[in-house]
Amino acid sequence: MRQLRSWMRDCGVGFVRAAQAAGVALLIPVVWAAAVGLWQLWGGSAWSWIAPFVWAAIGTLLLAKPVCRMTRTMVANWTGIVLPPGYRELPPITQLSTGYWWNGHSYSRSREDARREQRMKNWRYDPATWRDLRFALLAPVSFGLVALVPLLGVVAAVLALTALPTGYLSGLLVTIATAPYAWRSVIPVATRFLGASATMELADRVDTLTALRADTTIAQAAEIRRIERDLHDGAQARLVALGLALATAEKLMETNPEQAKELLRDARAGAATSLTELRELVRGISPPVLNERGLASVSAAG
């Protein structure tokens, strides 16, 4: 009894998921079917097909990304498999001193125009755009037809009730037998065609490494500026004062030896303080920075 309830639950869940997968996969065929119907409604002449089919082509381009987004959502909700979109991020837009806006490709008079041109160019040259279009065209003939089988079984059962009272059992059996499994066909297709390609993964790694390198460079520059500031405000100022005190003491050695000795004592205390500050400053700094700034010997002496 428990197995029967489990089977019926799987059939119900599978039927709902199959209906969702079929609905997503058949969005674009429905657009083209509507275009054909509109063409026939207009008389089916030699030239009346142009406008409906152009609209259908535009609708296909506009629906490709939503179809892929809904497919990723279904796969993530049903299986927990996350398929990253892999779209290129738009670079920032900057305003120049001339008043024009630079979007990374061209100049525009307003921010809105710059962003619109940037999106159009990114849409044309982004590999993920053509990947989405390819998937949207393959979806109806791959998992779309498979996911449609349980629904066709129900339709056949309903139609059989009017023609052959006992024929509806065949349709119900088809639905019950295929509902738990038909929706699963979306998983390998989505994983194969919506997963990140080797080129996308390489681009993501390059972007990550570039960002890490930029962060490291900024951190190193900030650390070097801190070291220079501490040297300038601390040890360097003390050493300059030490030099002035020694020069003054040298002049006072003959005229006022006591004051010269006082200055020498102060200079010795200042030198000790400067050495302590240098030791604290260079402690923990990486050896390349020390070698570049000439402080390796000071660090070793400390």
Side-chain angles (χ1 to χ4, degrees):
M1 190 65 180
R2 181 179 301 175
Q3 293 181 353
L4 179 61
R5 288 198 300 267
S6 177
W7 176 261
M8 294 303 296
R9 184 176 63 253
D10 292 342
C11 288
V13 173
F15 183 82
V16 173
R17 292 180 177 180
Q20 293 176 355
V24 171
L26 297 179
L27 279 176
I28 292 179
V30 168
V31 172
W32 283 93
V36 173
L38 186 60
W39 174 43
Q40 293 298 324
L41 183 63
W42 286 355
S45 61
W47 298 103
S48 61
W49 63 271
I50 297 178
F53 280 77
V54 168
W55 295 341
I58 296 175
T60 301
L61 295 176
L62 295 178
L63 285 175
K65 189 173 182 178
V67 166
C68 296
R69 183 171 60 250
M70 289 185 288
T71 303
R72 292 190 189 94
T73 302
M74 290 189 303
V75 173
N77 293 336
W78 297 346
T79 64
I81 300 175
V82 178
L83 300 174
Y87 301 113
R88 288 179 178 176
E89 295 184 0
L90 297 178
I93 295 178
T94 57
Q95 187 177 18
L96 305 179
S97 58
T98 57
Y100 285 84
W101 294 82
W102 172 252
N103 59 11
H105 306 288
S106 59
Y107 300 95
S108 301
R109 292 184 178 274
S110 65
R111 181 182 180 87
E112 291 74 16
D113 294 340
R115 179 64 72 182
R116 181 170 57 253
E117 293 178 3
Q118 186 185 60
R119 288 174 179 170
M120 290 299 298
K121 190 175 185 64
N122 185 73
W123 181 83
R124 290 196 303 268
Y125 293 100
D126 191 352
T129 300
W130 307 109
R131 178 207 58 191
D132 290 352
L133 181 61
R134 179 187 61 182
F135 177 83
L137 296 177
L138 289 176
V141 297
S142 54
F143 68 88
L145 294 177
V146 178
L148 197 61
V149 172
L151 281 73
L152 294 178
V154 173
V155 173
V158 173
L159 294 177
L161 286 175
T162 59
L164 186 61
T166 58
Y168 73 93
L169 293 176
S170 300
L172 290 179
L173 289 176
V174 170
T175 301
I176 294 174
T178 58
Y181 310 104
W183 64 272
R184 300 179 187 273
S185 59
V186 68
I187 300 174
V189 178
T191 304
R192 170 62 179 83
F193 292 101
L194 284 184
S197 63
T199 303
M200 294 179 181
E201 292 179 353
L202 180 59
D204 291 340
R205 292 180 182 178
V206 170
D207 293 340
T208 302
L209 291 176
T210 302
L212 291 176
R213 182 179 180 182
D215 293 340
T216 303
T217 302
I218 293 174
Q220 289 179 350
E223 182 66 14
I224 291 175
R225 288 194 299 269
R226 185 190 66 82
I227 294 172
E228 293 177 346
R229 184 175 61 252
D230 292 344
L231 285 173
H232 181 271
D233 298 340
Q236 182 177 349
R238 292 183 181 277
L239 291 176
V240 171
L242 176 62
L244 295 176
L246 291 177
T248 304
E250 184 180 2
K251 293 180 180 180
L252 294 175
M253 285 296 296
E254 296 180 357
T255 60
N256 193 348
E258 293 299 329
Q259 187 176 359
K261 292 180 181 179
E262 184 67 24
L263 289 175
L264 290 176
R265 285 193 294 269
D266 293 340
R268 184 175 58 184
T273 304
S274 299
L275 182 59
T276 302
E277 289 181 355
L278 286 175
R279 288 174 177 175
E280 293 178 354
L281 180 63
V282 302
R283 185 179 294 114
I285 301 177
S286 58
V289 177
L290 294 180
N291 294 332
E292 180 181 355
R293 297 295 169 174
L295 300 175
S297 58
V298 178
S299 177

